[in-house]
């Protein structure tokens, strides 16, 4: 994919969706059990509206056209359910990508979630998202009313400049993920923000918390920590981002 920084994430989401969705099937490259959250059935997908400096799936998200394994929602949920039954897991997620790029990816996601809850009603699906399209297309949010759907929105910056530098997306889109959080909260859907702690000082984290409180976001800010793969450190360096610890 041609990509100059900063890019328009609306256009990038649409272009990514065009590449990673085919007749309702989405590109995935792995299905696995993962240790996070105490054990979770995980599908690794491809395609994102952002291109974060610290993304551990950077090259796949930059060049999705190199991959060709498309899976239907039924195939994805069946694979995840098989892993969960084998490992006695109750948690499910899709990661490595942005699940919501537009209408087609959103419909695919809803089918995966619906099938999992039909088969295992007491399970929890954790939607890991950058929150951009959910803030841009707030009409999607009312379709996310599942009792056991939890939504974790990974915020990329504390302000417009850090957002642009870290996510690669134009700074004017900074507030959309925060708007998504606010709307989710207003709709009574469990959602919380997360941020990559290694990229911010305590003071900067304090600024972000203050901004969230100005938007009346009540849920706690989760701090995540960087997987320091050599290519991740190189990408961070290329954008002149200093690690804070
Ligand atoms: S939002 Fe997540 S999946 Fe997308 S580029 Fe950033 S870290 Fe990678």
């Amino acid at each position: 994919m041609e990509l100059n920084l900063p890019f328009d994430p609306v256009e990038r989401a649409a272009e990514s969706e065009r590449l990673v969705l085919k007749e309702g099937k989405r590109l995935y490259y792995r299905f696995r059990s993962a240790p996070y959250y105490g054990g979770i059935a995980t599908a690794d997908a491809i395609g994102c509206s952002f291109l974060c400096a610290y993304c551990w799936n950077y090259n796949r998200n930059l060049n999705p056209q190199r991959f060709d394994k498309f899976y239907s929602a039924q195939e994805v949920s069946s694979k995840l359910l098989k892993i969960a039954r084998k490992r006695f897991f109750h948690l499910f997620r899709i990661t490595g990508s942005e699940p919501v790029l537009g209408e087609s990816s959103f419909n695919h996601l809803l089918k995966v979630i619906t099938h999992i809850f039909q088969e295992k009603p007491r399970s929890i699906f954790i939607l890991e998202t950058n929150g951009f399209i959910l803030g841009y297309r707030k009409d999607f949010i009312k379709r996310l009313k599942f009792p056991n759907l939890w939504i974790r929105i990974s915020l990329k910056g504390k302000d417009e400049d850090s957002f642009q530098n870290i996510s690669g997306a134009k700074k004017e889109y900074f507030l959309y993920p925060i708007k998504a959080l606010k709307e989710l909260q207003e709709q009574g859907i469990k959602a919380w923000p997360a941020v990559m702690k290694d990229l911010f000082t305590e003071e900067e984290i304090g600024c972000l918390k203050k901004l969230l409180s100005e938007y009346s976001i009540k849920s706690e800010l989760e701090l995540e920590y960087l997987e320091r793969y050599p290519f991740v450190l190189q990408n961070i360096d290329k954008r002149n981002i200093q690690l804070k610890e």
Side-chain angles (χ1 to χ4, degrees):
M1 263 171 105
E2 279 295 313
L3 201 63
N4 295 316
L5 300 180
F7 50 79
D8 184 316
V10 180
E11 289 171 11
R12 180 163 162 74
E15 173 67 356
S16 295
E17 187 169 77
R18 193 182 64 75
L19 293 170
V20 304
L21 266 290
K22 203 183 271 178
E23 294 164 9
K25 296 183 172 188
R26 181 159 184 167
L27 267 186
Y28 290 80
Y29 68 96
R30 187 171 55 175
F31 298 88
R32 60 189 164 116
S33 63
Y36 308 104
Y37 308 100
I40 185 162
T42 297
D44 293 293
I46 299 174
C48 191
S49 45
F50 292 170
L51 190 64
C52 302
Y54 62 74
C55 185
W56 58 266
N57 208 16
Y58 190 99
N59 287 323
R60 290 188 188 88
N61 287 331
L62 178 61
N63 292 306
Q65 67 278 12
R66 290 193 188 155
F67 300 86
D68 59 1
K69 288 226 159 193
F70 290 82
Y71 294 84
S72 69
Q74 181 81 25
E75 288 169 327
V76 173
S77 50
S78 297
K79 282 180 177 290
L80 288 174
L81 284 160
K82 193 172 170 193
I83 292 166
R85 287 187 181 118
K86 191 170 167 197
R87 303 298 297 264
F88 302 101
F89 289 164
H90 297 285
L91 298 178
F92 296 82
R93 69 173 179 158
I94 296 169
T95 192
S97 62
E98 171 50 48
V100 187
L101 298 166
E103 194 73 46
S104 303
S105 51
F106 190 58
N107 286 335
H108 173 91
L109 172 71
L110 292 181
K111 283 182 191 162
V112 172
I113 295 172
T114 302
H115 186 223
I116 286 172
F117 286 150
Q118 276 167 355
E119 292 294 311
K120 235 175 160 331
R122 290 195 188 161
S123 57
I124 290 166
F125 193 101
I126 300 178
L127 173 55
E128 295 183 343
T129 171
N130 62 33
F132 171 62
I133 291 292
L134 292 181
Y136 189 75
R137 289 282 313 264
K138 282 200 224 153
D139 55 304
F140 281 178
I141 287 179
K142 57 181 180 305
R143 294 159 65 193
L144 285 172
K145 289 197 172 176
F146 296 86
N148 292 341
L149 176 64
W150 296 359
I151 302 179
R152 175 185 186 271
I153 295 194
S154 175
L155 301 176
K156 305 304 176 184
K158 66 170 179 63
D159 55 18
E160 289 186 344
D161 288 335
S162 55
F163 166 80
Q164 177 169 295
N165 201 20
I166 293 167
S167 71
K170 286 185 178 167
K171 59 173 73 178
E172 57 260 39
Y173 294 102
F174 165 59
L175 283 175
Y176 283 92
I178 294 174
K179 288 178 183 170
L181 271 167
K182 189 165 169 54
E183 182 68 20
L184 286 159
Q185 188 176 280
E186 284 173 8
Q187 298 269 343
I189 299 169
K190 182 181 170 77
W192 70 97
V195 73
M196 187 58 78
K197 171 71 180 71
D198 310 52
L199 307 191
F200 301 97
T201 62
E202 289 295 339
E203 196 185 346
E204 288 168 336
I205 296 286
C207 290
L208 180 56
K209 285 183 178 170
K210 187 162 173 284
L211 178 66
L212 290 168
S213 75
E214 284 166 12
Y215 276 81
S216 308
I217 309 293
K218 297 193 179 74
S219 41
E220 208 169 307
L221 178 64
E222 177 191 329
L223 300 179
E224 54 178 332
Y225 293 90
L226 194 63
E227 301 276 3
R228 297 190 181 212
Y229 302 113
F231 73 92
V232 166
L233 296 177
Q234 273 173 16
N235 286 338
I236 286 175
D237 197 45
K238 274 190 216 157
R239 294 204 199 164
N240 292 318
I241 297 167
Q242 305 292 324
L243 294 180
K244 301 301 189 299
E245 54 184 49

